[in-house]
Amino acid sequence: MIERSELLERLRNMEAHMLVVGGGITGACIARDAAMRGIRVALVERRDFAWGTSSRSSKLVHGGLRYLEQLDFRLVFEATRERAVLGRIAPHLVFPIPFLFPIYDSDKNGVLKIGAGMWLYDLLASFRQYRWHRMMGSAETSRAEPGLQRDGLAGAACYYDSGTHDARLTIVNVVDAVRHGGVCLNGVSYEGVERSGGRIAGARLRDEESGERFSVKCDLVVHAAGPFTDEVQAAAGLTDKHLVRPTKGTHLIVPAERLPVSHAVVMTTRSDGRVTFAIPWGEGTLIGTTDTDYAGDKSNVHASSDDVDYLLDAVRTYFPSSELCRDDVISTYAGLRPLVRQDKTSPYEVTREHEIHWDPAGIMTICGGKLTTCRKMAEELVDRFLRERDEFRASARVCSTAQAPLPGGGGISGPEGLAGLARGIQERTGLDDASSEHLARAYGSETYALLDGDLAGDGKLDPLVPGLPYLAGEVDVAVNQELARSTSDVLQRRLHVFYKDADQGLGVCEQVASRVAELMGKDAEWRQADAEAYRTEVARSRAWRAEVGDA
């Protein structure tokens, strides 16, 4: 069990070598890397781990096929390498999925050009891909995805990238950082730095749960705040330049039976030529994403009516027989990409590279990048810290994050090993295929320990929501083992009830709020406020309907 109160007390009293601000995937990976090297590291996140961008992605770990068109071969090489690393250290959370790239007579890139690009993609992966690509004729493509538009269909490329549970990937990095001696806390705000003799001496923090303000001593502050980078820079007095260009990416989920796909289908929108996907996602199909500049409230990002129509139009172009409409949408979500600020006209053309900025006073800032390269970005930042600070270099251990499995990742040999784990869970518990596979994918090799712990007892293996694979006892796992502090933390980020349930979890939010309150020792007033906060999250995700009066 991870006790927040113990972590908070350690944070108050520690003298950190490094304080990381931001609990998204980048900050989580930095905390893990630093802790594994023996660096005294703390991480603070104002809301929940993965609250922002890191739980609002397309749920893909991919090499970036489209970057070939931009001739960014180095990024593709790095991304395919890191895809392989993540699949090795977290095979339960990063797993190969087949992609289908349909090619039409009217497309600017024909079969030969796409085929050449696929060979280059495979070669840049340096034999690290799950399987080599293959080209398919029109008839075989139609058999593979019967719903695809057949008029003008010339064929398709079938290749493999990886899917992931983005928020859980973030959370297991946090958990592993704590297991290696780091202090990681959600619900703690960063309010700026304290200086002594022109150098950073500490940081001012606020516990959002109690309202207590306190300072922590530290030698270095790392800003890893994603789209909030500029605001965090300002809190530290660094107001001379803006580093981030936030762009909004919107996704929507429809029932799998309304858009049944067995591959992640690559779609090129006719209006602006950007790539979107229709991705099989368990009980639903995930459609996304948009890419538009964003200048609104970064804490209140949601899908617009235009976003939804844009994505539905793309789907209807490729799957006309689906007749997909707004009423089919179960849920939506939107997040902000923290792109490095550039002057290029189109957000779609802005590089997905990252930058690390060093302030000699003792502040490092990392911005840009992509989910796939999160581990490597962290390694580069910690390496830079050790180059700049000789006093820590001699005692620091060599980076081992590319070899050491993440929690749940040990002892699983790829998709076959994961399937074997799911069968073993089913034999032990009697759960159905869906729930057994879910447990294997969520907790990996740690599932058996949980079955003897938080998942043990009457009713713990009962369904949390009818028709979905999640279990009642997973609320306990989320609070006790994964630092969840609210119903939203549980149903949005630890589990995907918010996205896949027909009523987005409204039917169980009171039940979950009651259990979360009980586990945290909260009273009835807190429970009611927590349930209401979750209902507000659901309403926000449905706000696009009100824009046209069909709420």
Side-chain angles (χ1 to χ4, degrees):
M1 179 179 292
I2 300 178
E3 289 283 358
R4 185 179 189 275
S5 58
E6 293 179 7
L7 290 175
L8 188 61
E9 185 62 22
R10 285 178 57 195
L11 179 64
R12 290 191 193 98
N13 296 312
M14 78 183 298
E15 295 184 12
H17 298 152
M18 178 187 293
L19 174 72
V20 181
V21 179
I25 188 64
T26 304
C29 287
I30 292 168
R32 179 187 186 236
D33 188 312
M36 291 177 69
R37 298 204 211 188
I39 296 168
R40 280 202 305 272
V41 62
L43 179 149
V44 294
E45 162 59 45
R46 181 157 62 105
R47 295 181 177 86
D48 183 28
F49 305 117
W51 177 88
T53 306
S54 298
S55 63
R56 309 186 196 201
S57 75
S58 296
K59 320 299 179 189
L60 298 176
V61 169
H62 62 100
L65 181 64
R66 74 176 183 86
Y67 305 138
L68 293 181
E69 194 169 15
Q70 300 173 355
L71 305 180
D72 197 344
F73 302 136
R74 194 202 64 78
L75 180 58
V76 175
F77 178 79
E78 180 179 74
T80 53
R81 180 186 60 201
E82 287 302 305
R83 179 188 65 190
V85 170
L86 293 177
R88 184 173 65 248
I89 66 175
H92 56 314
L93 295 175
V94 178
F95 43 86
I97 58 174
F99 280 67
L100 193 75
F101 193 140
I103 307 164
Y104 288 87
D105 294 335
S106 59
D107 291 344
K108 69 173 183 177
N109 296 321
V111 173
L112 290 178
K113 187 171 183 180
I114 295 298
M118 287 295 167
W119 277 114
L120 181 57
Y121 195 54
D122 281 346
L123 290 171
L124 286 169
S126 300
F127 307 104
R128 291 183 293 257
Q129 67 273 49
Y130 177 63
R131 289 177 184 165
W132 289 78
H133 84 277
R134 65 189 184 91
M135 302 302 293
M136 302 162 58
S138 58
E140 186 180 4
T141 302
S142 293
R143 288 193 297 271
E145 291 294 347
L148 271 174
Q149 169 66 267
R150 298 190 181 191
D151 292 346
L153 181 63
C158 181
Y159 67 101
Y160 279 80
D161 261 319
S162 294
T164 190
H165 187 321
D166 51 2
R168 187 164 288 284
L169 184 63
T170 303
I171 290 162
V172 296
N173 272 280
V174 169
V175 169
D176 210 32
V178 172
R179 290 181 181 180
H180 282 89
V183 175
C184 301
L185 279 159
N186 46 1
V188 175
S189 295
Y190 168 69
E191 297 188 334
V193 296
E194 295 180 340
R195 300 173 186 263
S196 176
R199 295 286 298 270
I200 300 299
R204 299 188 302 277
L205 306 176
R206 180 181 187 273
D207 178 14
E208 293 293 323
E209 295 193 12
S210 68
E212 174 198 4
R213 284 185 165 87
F214 60 97
S215 295
V216 59
K217 295 179 180 179
C218 59
D219 297 292
L220 176 84
V221 174
V222 175
H223 293 163
F228 295 93
T229 295
D230 290 344
E231 289 82 354
V232 168
Q233 292 278 93
L238 303 177
T239 58
D240 56 331
K241 59 182 177 180
H242 298 290
L243 300 178
V244 172
R245 177 180 178 177
T247 70
K248 185 172 78 164
T250 297
H251 298 79
L252 49 95
I253 297 92
V254 300
E257 59 267 22
R258 289 292 294 121
L259 186 63
V261 290
S262 54
H263 303 73
V265 178
V266 183
M267 304 177 294
T268 304
T269 58
R270 301 305 185 221
S271 60
D272 57 10
R274 74 161 274 113
V275 170
T276 59
F277 299 98
I279 305 168
W281 203 40
E283 300 74 22
T285 298
L286 177 63
I287 302 165
T289 176
T290 61
D291 196 357
T292 55
D293 282 312
Y294 185 81
D297 181 359
K298 295 178 182 178
S299 298
N300 184 19
V301 185
H302 55 78
S304 70
S305 179
D306 287 344
D307 293 334
V308 173
D309 287 340
Y310 173 90
L311 294 173
L312 291 176
D313 285 345
V315 172
R316 287 192 293 261
T317 299
Y318 279 79
F319 296 90
S321 62
S322 71
E323 298 182 344
L324 210 63
C325 65
R326 296 160 70 96
D327 289 342
D328 292 314
V329 177
I330 298 173
S331 61
T332 67
Y333 64 93
L336 298 178
R337 300 175 190 84
L339 304 183
V340 174
R341 183 171 290 275
Q342 292 179 327
D343 294 330
K344 292 186 177 181
T345 303
S346 168
Y348 192 55
E349 297 175 353
V350 177
T351 181
R352 268 52 177 174
E353 298 277 6
H354 65 278
E355 293 181 352
I356 297 173
H357 298 266
W358 170 263
D359 184 310
I363 298 175
M364 294 182 76
T365 303
I366 185 166
C367 55
K370 58 201 297 283
L371 174 64
T372 305
T373 55
C374 59
R375 189 211 63 84
K376 183 61 176 175
M377 290 164 58
E379 180 181 356
E380 289 181 16
L381 184 137
V382 178
D383 283 348
R384 175 73 182 274
F385 164 67
L386 293 175
R387 286 198 304 271
E388 298 288 348
R389 292 293 179 86
D390 288 336
E391 63 268 33
F392 300 114
R393 190 186 312 169
S395 60
R397 293 186 284 270
V398 174
C399 177
S400 59
T401 57
Q403 293 79 39
L406 280 160
I412 300 175
S413 55
E416 296 77 14
L418 191 64
L421 175 61
R423 288 193 298 271
I425 292 169
Q426 188 171 42
E427 290 171 3
R428 171 168 172 175
T429 62
L431 291 166
D432 61 19
D433 290 348
S435 291
S436 299
E437 181 179 353
H438 158 66
L439 289 178
R441 288 196 181 281
Y443 310 108
S445 54
E446 300 203 341
T447 303
Y448 291 121
L450 293 174
L451 289 170
D452 291 329
D454 287 311
L455 294 178
D458 293 342
K460 293 295 184 68
L461 297 184
D462 290 345
L464 180 62
V465 177
L468 292 180
Y470 311 116
L471 308 177
E474 290 186 89
V475 180
D476 293 45
V477 175
V479 174
N480 292 334
Q481 311 298 334
E482 300 171 345
L483 285 164
R485 305 296 294 173
S486 70
T487 295
S488 292
D489 293 353
V490 175
L491 297 184
Q492 283 187 270
R493 286 169 287 281
R494 277 69 176 175
L495 307 177
H496 281 150
V497 173
F498 177 91
Y499 304 107
K500 295 184 177 180
D501 184 24
D503 75 351
Q504 297 188 251
L506 291 177
V508 296
C509 76
E510 290 283 355
Q511 168 193 335
V512 173
S514 293
R515 184 57 179 161
V516 171
E518 181 181 355
L519 291 167
M520 291 172 52
K522 302 294 186 178
D523 59 19
E525 182 179 359
W526 184 95
R527 172 182 56 77
Q528 291 169 3
D530 180 52
E532 184 57 34
Y534 182 77
R535 285 189 284 266
T536 299
E537 289 289 332
V538 173
R540 183 178 292 117
S541 80
R542 299 174 176 179
W544 62 273
R545 296 188 182 276
E547 293 178 24
V548 291
D550 58 351

